[in-house]
Amino acid sequence: MKNRQLYFCLLLNFIFLSPQLSAQSFSVESILSYPFPSELVSSSGGSKIAWAMNEKGLRNVYVAEGPDFTPRKLTAYTKDDGQEISSLSISPNGKWIVFVRGGDHGSREASVPVQAAFDPLGAKVQVISIPFDGGMPIVLAEADYPEISPNSDRVSFIKGGQVWSAAINNSAPAKALFYARGSNGSVRWSPDGSKLAFVSSRGDHSFIGIYTNDETPINWILPSFSRDTSPRWSPDGQKLAFIRTPGSGGAPDSIFARKHQPWAIWNADIAAGSGEQIWKAPETLEGSFPSTEGGTNLMWAKTDRIVFVSFQDGWPHLYSIPAKGGKELLLSPGNFMVEHIKLSPDSNSLIFAANTGKDRFDLDRRHIGKVSIDQPGIEILTQGNGIESNPVFTGDQNTIAYLSSTAQRPVLPAVMNANGKSHRVLCEDLIPTDFPQKQLVSPKHITFKAADGQTVYGQLFEPKNPSSAKRPAIVYVHGGPQRQMLLGWHFMDYYSIDYALNQYLTSIGFTVLSVNYRLGIGYGFKFQKAINAGALGASEYQDVKAAGEWLAAQPGIDPERIGIYGGSYGGFLVALGLGKDSKLFAAGVDIHGVNNRFSSANSSSRALAPDAELAEQAMIRSSPVSYLDTWASPTLIIHADDDRNVSFSQSVDLARRFEDKKFAFEYLAIPDDTHHWMKFTNALKVTEVTADFLRRKLMK
């Protein structure tokens, strides 16, 4: 086994010595130099917006205000220290910005500090406020998940599983508001700011409580043996809507059985202590609890209307019902999905991102849509070859802010009139001068068939000036798996890095096929909820294999030089490909992948199921480590050891198995970073090492 602990140092030699790379006009570092915005929010009144911007690891808060929306950097953090910015919000009076600095909020341990910069004093997760007009950041507490009161004077947050509060200007010290058993969160202030609704999670069940003051006992809302979540106040503050799902337990059932996951909407009268179920999801597979961004996306719109998302017609769509209960009204019919949903300040309409539009390839894009809360029929406000996502209304409803990208231009904040006119992209001056925007290609939408007949979707990146000789190719496999790669720069930072790598690989002569395999979003319920997938058979691997076979059949591709790379769930599918089909995939990079699917096969709850033995056999068949005897292709394993999504032990175990079999492999282990490369220099290192490995193994 080659020792790769000094891999990054050696990489510089490879870059400068390679004639193919030296002839290129841009580097990995230049294509990763783009700024990346996130956390786009607006004030509830006026025209103020704010967002977080990551500039090569320097994360800061930016703000802008209409009508000119000139961006202004509000904070001055100057180190690539891996401290993300999340939970960004603007106070209702528009005078304050509140955010969280630190943690990894895309993981299962969101509130645990990230030590990627090896700070001897230790990193922290802090709730911070700062005046919108500028000033010094104020640390309110070491805590998470802040919520600003409607009066703009206080901020609630979660610390140690309890609800705390502090003055937004730090004039009064932080204190615990109350004590409640369990882990408490999902705080919502009442419209007048006099009460707090919260969720108390208690293992196999959860309650919704309301806190008023120190003298008033907690008001538990219709407690039951269920899981109650997503409390939403009525506009008058007299009622509370919430989602109810079953608690844990029940008799052991089939592991393979595809069962309806029930959920319902309840409405409680707070003063009377009464309530009722006002809507129940259809008892079908499609009617199950929606596994989409934001879940049910429950919102109380006008006093008499509640909106939510359901998959019941086969697509994640918007519905509304009367607050007193009744038949649901489908607001967004059609064969497309909606996500990033926001309610307008006047509660009359919803804006969202959807993969639909005038172009048939909009299936692999996002455009901004708008719909009334009580009248079916959407209006698509953006169109063309770009990607628009994460929309928000300004408080005056004159403007919609959103994130915008194209195939060549990375994601930036943008604004348009509320009627979808006068689009303007912000912060273009932050794109470095050496960013190779004009040299990037536009990926093409393609489809092909898997062995079982399933239609598979992908984006094909082809070199601008391909050589006459047959060239090598790469299959890129995204993670999630509930993700969809697009015909341009992705609005999620993790996948924007992979998109940049796909462009770089294309620039040095590879053809790259980014495959949207079954289990991903954007193509309907049956595609997203595929049969015998994951640990129960990995049926989705057929799509990845089909991508490699499609490339091998193309006249300009050398079928002996097809590589594969991907991270997380994509790493799992990469490992399956290298183990099962080394003859097809000549080399691969397994980035923090799940290599051993059956490590939990003997848990007590699964062992009692009637088909537990069959499920265990399926898990073994679905595990890459089951195919070590046929795993012959050169492999690079990459993992950071504070990974909170896929345990570092998955790669430790695979490496040990390789060592025991005397199978040579390469590796890159990164101390103290997480699944999401919180430190820019680590993201750069991973991208450069991946590109260099594929070049060395597949380029002639």
Side-chain angles (χ1 to χ4, degrees), residues 34 56 73 82 169 205 264 350 357 381 601 636:
Y34 57 87
K56 297 177 68 172
K73 185 161 69 171
N169 62 0
H205 66 285
L350 298 155
L381 301 177
L636 168 63

PDB file of all heavy atoms in Angstrom, residues 34 56 73 82 169 205 264 350 357 381 601 636:
ATOM      1  N   TYR A  34     -14.756  30.881  -6.507  1.00  0.00           N
ATOM      2  CA  TYR A  34     -16.001  31.640  -6.556  1.00  0.00           C
ATOM      3  C   TYR A  34     -16.569  31.881  -5.147  1.00  0.00           C
ATOM      4  O   TYR A  34     -16.381  31.081  -4.236  1.00  0.00           O
ATOM      5  CB  TYR A  34     -17.045  30.871  -7.389  1.00  0.00           C
ATOM      6  CG  TYR A  34     -17.330  29.474  -6.877  1.00  0.00           C
ATOM      7  CD1 TYR A  34     -18.289  29.247  -5.897  1.00  0.00           C
ATOM      8  CD2 TYR A  34     -16.626  28.376  -7.357  1.00  0.00           C
ATOM      9  CE1 TYR A  34     -18.546  27.976  -5.415  1.00  0.00           C
ATOM     10  CE2 TYR A  34     -16.873  27.097  -6.884  1.00  0.00           C
ATOM     11  CZ  TYR A  34     -17.838  26.910  -5.914  1.00  0.00           C
ATOM     12  OH  TYR A  34     -18.082  25.641  -5.419  1.00  0.00           O
ATOM     13  N   LYS A  56     -13.895  31.648  -0.337  1.00  0.00           N
ATOM     14  CA  LYS A  56     -12.707  30.809  -0.108  1.00  0.00           C
ATOM     15  C   LYS A  56     -12.498  30.563   1.385  1.00  0.00           C
ATOM     16  O   LYS A  56     -11.399  30.659   1.909  1.00  0.00           O
ATOM     17  CB  LYS A  56     -11.483  31.441  -0.753  1.00  0.00           C
ATOM     18  CG  LYS A  56     -11.584  31.553  -2.267  1.00  0.00           C
ATOM     19  CD  LYS A  56     -10.396  32.252  -2.894  1.00  0.00           C
ATOM     20  CE  LYS A  56      -9.149  31.435  -2.784  1.00  0.00           C
ATOM     21  NZ  LYS A  56      -8.019  32.012  -3.559  1.00  0.00           N
ATOM     22  N   LYS A  73     -20.973  44.281   3.030  1.00  0.00           N
ATOM     23  CA  LYS A  73     -20.482  43.268   3.962  1.00  0.00           C
ATOM     24  C   LYS A  73     -20.625  43.788   5.381  1.00  0.00           C
ATOM     25  O   LYS A  73     -20.077  44.830   5.726  1.00  0.00           O
ATOM     26  CB  LYS A  73     -19.036  42.888   3.657  1.00  0.00           C
ATOM     27  CG  LYS A  73     -18.532  41.735   4.527  1.00  0.00           C
ATOM     28  CD  LYS A  73     -17.305  41.047   3.949  1.00  0.00           C
ATOM     29  CE  LYS A  73     -16.089  41.921   3.995  1.00  0.00           C
ATOM     30  NZ  LYS A  73     -14.860  41.149   3.635  1.00  0.00           N
ATOM     31  N   GLY A  82     -13.412  27.281   9.183  1.00  0.00           N
ATOM     32  CA  GLY A  82     -14.428  26.239   9.188  1.00  0.00           C
ATOM     33  C   GLY A  82     -15.666  26.558   9.986  1.00  0.00           C
ATOM     34  O   GLY A  82     -16.463  25.652  10.273  1.00  0.00           O
ATOM     35  N   ASN A 169     -29.979  43.198  22.099  1.00  0.00           N
ATOM     36  CA  ASN A 169     -28.821  44.097  22.188  1.00  0.00           C
ATOM     37  C   ASN A 169     -27.909  43.765  23.359  1.00  0.00           C
ATOM     38  O   ASN A 169     -27.006  44.529  23.690  1.00  0.00           O
ATOM     39  CB  ASN A 169     -29.283  45.552  22.282  1.00  0.00           C
ATOM     40  CG  ASN A 169     -30.120  45.809  23.534  1.00  0.00           C
ATOM     41  OD1 ASN A 169     -30.351  44.897  24.344  1.00  0.00           O
ATOM     42  ND2 ASN A 169     -30.582  47.044  23.686  1.00  0.00           N
ATOM     43  N   HIS A 205     -41.917   9.548  21.630  1.00  0.00           N
ATOM     44  CA  HIS A 205     -43.040  10.448  21.427  1.00  0.00           C
ATOM     45  C   HIS A 205     -42.551  11.880  21.598  1.00  0.00           C
ATOM     46  O   HIS A 205     -41.422  12.117  22.036  1.00  0.00           O
ATOM     47  CB  HIS A 205     -44.171  10.163  22.426  1.00  0.00           C
ATOM     48  CG  HIS A 205     -43.794  10.454  23.852  1.00  0.00           C
ATOM     49  ND1 HIS A 205     -42.957   9.635  24.586  1.00  0.00           N
ATOM     50  CD2 HIS A 205     -44.118  11.496  24.679  1.00  0.00           C
ATOM     51  CE1 HIS A 205     -42.786  10.152  25.802  1.00  0.00           C
ATOM     52  NE2 HIS A 205     -43.470  11.274  25.890  1.00  0.00           N
ATOM     53  N   ALA A 264     -51.055  13.573   9.962  1.00  0.00           N
ATOM     54  CA  ALA A 264     -52.291  14.348   9.956  1.00  0.00           C
ATOM     55  C   ALA A 264     -52.008  15.752  10.467  1.00  0.00           C
ATOM     56  O   ALA A 264     -51.006  16.009  11.137  1.00  0.00           O
ATOM     57  CB  ALA A 264     -53.350  13.673  10.832  1.00  0.00           C
ATOM     58  N   LEU A 350     -47.833  32.134  -2.271  1.00  0.00           N
ATOM     59  CA  LEU A 350     -46.628  31.377  -1.975  1.00  0.00           C
ATOM     60  C   LEU A 350     -45.663  31.520  -3.143  1.00  0.00           C
ATOM     61  O   LEU A 350     -46.086  31.556  -4.307  1.00  0.00           O
ATOM     62  CB  LEU A 350     -46.964  29.892  -1.783  1.00  0.00           C
ATOM     63  CG  LEU A 350     -47.899  29.548  -0.623  1.00  0.00           C
ATOM     64  CD1 LEU A 350     -48.606  28.224  -0.906  1.00  0.00           C
ATOM     65  CD2 LEU A 350     -47.150  29.472   0.690  1.00  0.00           C
ATOM     66  N   GLY A 357     -40.964  24.582 -16.583  1.00  0.00           N
ATOM     67  CA  GLY A 357     -40.892  25.808 -17.364  1.00  0.00           C
ATOM     68  C   GLY A 357     -41.214  25.525 -18.815  1.00  0.00           C
ATOM     69  O   GLY A 357     -41.725  24.448 -19.156  1.00  0.00           O
ATOM     70  N   LEU A 381     -42.210  32.657 -12.824  1.00  0.00           N
ATOM     71  CA  LEU A 381     -41.713  34.026 -12.937  1.00  0.00           C
ATOM     72  C   LEU A 381     -40.360  34.129 -13.622  1.00  0.00           C
ATOM     73  O   LEU A 381     -39.975  35.218 -14.055  1.00  0.00           O
ATOM     74  CB  LEU A 381     -41.624  34.660 -11.543  1.00  0.00           C
ATOM     75  CG  LEU A 381     -42.933  34.720 -10.748  1.00  0.00           C
ATOM     76  CD1 LEU A 381     -42.674  35.305  -9.363  1.00  0.00           C
ATOM     77  CD2 LEU A 381     -43.982  35.545 -11.486  1.00  0.00           C
ATOM     78  N   ALA A 601     -27.214  -4.893  10.964  1.00  0.00           N
ATOM     79  CA  ALA A 601     -28.250  -5.841  10.541  1.00  0.00           C
ATOM     80  C   ALA A 601     -28.840  -6.617  11.708  1.00  0.00           C
ATOM     81  O   ALA A 601     -29.961  -7.100  11.638  1.00  0.00           O
ATOM     82  CB  ALA A 601     -27.678  -6.821   9.525  1.00  0.00           C
ATOM     83  N   LEU A 636      -8.961   5.288  -4.538  1.00  0.00           N
ATOM     84  CA  LEU A 636      -8.568   6.323  -3.595  1.00  0.00           C
ATOM     85  C   LEU A 636      -9.700   6.491  -2.591  1.00  0.00           C
ATOM     86  O   LEU A 636     -10.859   6.697  -2.985  1.00  0.00           O
ATOM     87  CB  LEU A 636      -8.299   7.642  -4.331  1.00  0.00           C
ATOM     88  CG  LEU A 636      -8.149   8.911  -3.479  1.00  0.00           C
ATOM     89  CD1 LEU A 636      -6.947   8.820  -2.547  1.00  0.00           C
ATOM     90  CD2 LEU A 636      -8.045  10.144  -4.379  1.00  0.00           C
TER      91      LEU A 636
END
